[in-house]
Amino acid sequence: MKNILCLILFFTFPFLSSCKNDDPVSNETGGGSGVIEIAYSQVSVAPAISTIDDGDYTVYYVDSATGDDNNDGLSRNTPFKTLGKISYMEKTPKMKALLKSGAVFNGALMLKELKGTPDKPFILDIYDGTERPTINGTGDQAVLIQDENVRVRNIRITNKSGTRGIRIQAMTPGAKGNIEISGCRIEDVNWAGNTGFIGVNPANLDVRAICSDSRFNKEYGGIIVEAFTTKEMGPSWYENLYITNNEIHQVARTGILITTKWGQRDKPGSGYNEYDNDDNKWYPCRNVVIQGNDISYVGGDGVILMGSTRSWIDHNKCYFANFLGRASHASAGLWPYCSTDVTVQFNEAAYTQLANGSADGEGLDVDVACKNTIIQYNYLHHNAGGGLLICNTKDADHQGTIVRNNIFLYNTCTWKGNMMTVSSGVGRTEVYNNLVIVNNSYPMALFSDDWANAGHSRDFTFRNNIFMSDVPTTAKFDQSHIDNCIFDNNLYNKVGNFSVAHGNILSFDPQITVPSDMDGYAKALLYTPSEPKVFNSGVMFDGMLDTDISGRPAKRINYVGPFAQ
């Protein structure tokens, strides 16, 4: 009898991948009922950097006010004075350099030939207080790291006339690992003049006076990580790279960039790696954790993760990306490119701009040649280009994206998708249990096109989503460039007159109240529906999350939207 029931459910709901032998779940939908068994997905937890025992380290102190480079630097009473002393002194294993709290250093710090090991890395940190010491860069980059096994913590970095705050370079082939940038504040990088911009529409700014066209380069910005060894040298990549809990403000063009000449997977023969497939001639960065960063007013992109696998963009806040955008340049908030198995979760991306002829402007992006990307538990609001872009080019492998348990709120594009824009040759994508709030001014929920002439996208499924408006709205769902696009069991409130066929439509008021102040990830939890029908009107299928966006248990609950209870 159980096997017969499984067959009935499979043919009734073909997106149900299987009936398992554990975890029975009650499912009621469309007047029918039955018992199915669900294999749930667990929350993805980004790994933490390993702890170290620094009790046996040699410690050097540096104080720009009271120090002297003729001192030995080995005590608070005999500190060095300049960064040059740390840059050019002979390094020893188990070494720590500490900068005096509140001290100001002009010039650059270069860290190379450090002799650190995975369990005894070189450490740069603060002493005697909590006010970050400042490194005012006066050249290309304020801090240059050309080694591995490095931890940089709690430093303030500026470089107004230069192009980068922290620059990390792989100088020799092979894996470069165990690098941490944490607790730093990076601001005023590649950002000329003192033009007021807070609260100003960038369409009313002379953006080139702040950053010229010649310096508006994706490889310039706050934290730039490069695996650029030459073809003659051989491939290089990063492993166990942690960029966590930093503040990045007023930088051009990019907040955080992981870039590599060896990580291309967009078409056969691309990149220094001359890509063949994921198992042959591809050298991605691995275990990259970009977490807990507060990014605002960046000229272009907030975070770009290129050529990586098994990595996380997690718990970040990104406001006012693409702030200095201009024609022929496209930027978004947070996004992977040419990557596989990346999880983008618990981020708030808001107020991404779309002015001065710039393109994109979404809060998140799953860019060209990404495979098996998870977009979950994100809060995306007031982005001028829409909430999410998914795009591809011809011959690139882009498939397996899952977009689930997110909130898309009042993204403000008149012609693109305020939930999502799908562009050019994107493969199988699942979109479920999201909340999308639009209004009459911005009614386009989904938009599709073929900007790269890569052909139609295909195999999209939208289910268990809530589409709603605060006033009756003629919503638009443009699937004209998506083949096999299925809408099933979604809830629509004050949203109607669809331009495409939607199946098994749910229509009732979920009783969701939008707060007047929508900023801050904690506000996402205020959108919990109060209508009980929300929590028993969904369809069930393998892969649903075992907890909802609020962290509450979601097993055995057939819910619509991102909240299970």
Side-chain angles (χ1 to χ4, degrees), residues 433-461:
N433 287 100
N434 301 284
L435 169 63
V436 183
I437 302 180
V438 297
N439 60 26
N440 269 329
S441 298
Y442 310 104
M444 182 76 76
L446 171 69
F447 177 72
S448 65
D449 66 4
D450 187 11
W451 72 276
N453 297 317
H456 281 201
S457 299
R458 65 192 184 279
D459 302 329
F460 272 64
T461 303

Side-chain angles (χ1 to χ4, degrees), residues 397-418:
D397 179 16
H398 192 310
Q399 61 177 302
T401 301
I402 296 176
V403 182
R404 61 189 179 191
N405 293 74
N406 304 283
I407 295 176
F408 298 84
L409 171 69
Y410 296 146
N411 295 297
T412 56
C413 193
T414 57
W415 61 273
K416 295 199 294 181
N418 289 292

Side-chain angles (χ1 to χ4, degrees), residues 26-304:
S26 174
N27 176 31
E28 299 179 2
T29 177
S33 63
V35 177
I36 63 175
E37 296 167 351
I38 303 301
Y40 285 94
S41 294
Q42 295 182 341
V43 177
S44 177
V45 178
I49 194 167
S50 60
T51 58
I52 58 174
D53 179 4
D54 60 356
D56 56 349
Y57 272 51
T58 300
V59 181
Y60 292 93
Y61 298 86
V62 192
D63 183 353
S64 60
T66 66
D68 187 326
D69 283 352
N70 292 317
N71 290 338
D72 62 14
L74 291 172
S75 75
R76 288 172 168 81
N77 296 323
T78 59
F80 296 139
K81 183 176 183 65
T82 68
L83 298 175
K85 190 69 176 180
I86 297 299
S87 293
Y88 298 106
M89 71 183 298
E90 182 178 353
K91 308 303 189 296
T92 61
K94 297 184 288 188
M95 178 177 170
K96 182 189 297 186
L98 301 180
L99 308 185
K100 179 66 179 289
S101 172
V104 177
F105 301 90
N106 296 316
L109 173 65
M110 180 171 60
L111 299 175
K112 65 179 183 177
E113 300 175 355
L114 299 173
K115 300 184 179 180
T117 63
D119 60 338
K120 297 290 183 180
F122 175 89
I123 298 172
L124 178 71
D125 208 334
I126 187 176
Y127 76 98
D128 281 0
T130 58
E131 181 185 354
R132 296 181 183 98
T134 295
I135 299 176
N136 286 325
T138 55
D140 190 13
Q141 57 273 320
V143 177
L144 176 62
I145 301 172
Q146 294 181 329
D147 209 337
E148 55 184 335
N149 303 312
V150 183
R151 302 198 179 187
V152 175
R153 299 168 173 166
N154 305 312
I155 310 297
R156 177 177 177 264
I157 295 167
T158 74
N159 197 10
K160 200 170 185 68
S161 61
T163 56
R164 300 169 179 90
I166 297 177
R167 186 179 192 180
I168 304 172
Q169 292 181 312
M171 303 302 293
T172 57
K176 307 303 167 191
N178 191 29
I179 297 176
E180 176 193 24
I181 309 295
S182 181
C184 295
R185 181 173 176 86
I186 302 168
E187 59 188 338
D188 279 335
V189 175
N190 194 24
W191 195 283
N194 296 296
T195 302
F197 59 90
I198 303 297
V200 178
N201 185 333
N204 299 325
L205 288 174
D206 182 356
V207 295
R208 289 171 176 82
I210 298 174
C211 181
S212 66
D213 286 347
S214 64
R215 294 166 64 104
F216 198 66
N217 186 318
K218 283 185 184 290
E219 293 169 13
Y220 296 167
I223 300 174
I224 308 298
V225 183
E226 303 168 334
F228 274 8
T229 50
T230 65
K231 280 190 174 183
E232 293 72 23
M233 296 171 66
S236 59
W237 64 93
Y238 287 91
E239 296 182 355
N240 303 317
L241 172 65
Y242 296 84
I243 301 176
T244 61
N245 301 315
N246 301 287
E247 300 171 32
I248 300 174
H249 171 75
Q250 199 171 329
V251 303
R253 170 182 172 178
T254 309
I256 299 170
L257 169 65
I258 315 300
T259 182
T260 167
K261 296 292 189 183
W262 295 94
Q264 293 296 115
R265 64 179 303 275
D266 51 349
K267 60 183 178 179
S270 61
Y272 282 5
N273 45 311
E274 298 180 349
Y275 177 77
D276 185 2
N277 56 57
D278 290 355
D279 298 318
N280 186 32
K281 296 185 180 179
W282 190 47
Y283 306 95
C285 299
R286 302 172 185 274
N287 196 42
V288 178
V289 178
I290 302 173
Q291 182 181 66
N293 301 286
D294 187 338
I295 303 166
S296 63
Y297 290 102
V298 289
D301 304 279
V303 171
I304 309 174

Side-chain angles (χ1 to χ4, degrees), residues 28 466 491 506 508-512 528-538 556-561 563-565:
E28 299 179 2
I466 298 175
L491 169 61
L506 304 173
F508 57 83
D509 186 350
Q511 297 293 321
I512 293 172
T528 305
S530 58
E531 169 53 60
K533 286 191 289 186
V534 169
F535 310 117
N536 60 22
S537 297
R556 302 182 177 88
I557 304 174
N558 53 325
Y559 62 105
V560 293
F563 295 93
Q565 51 182 292

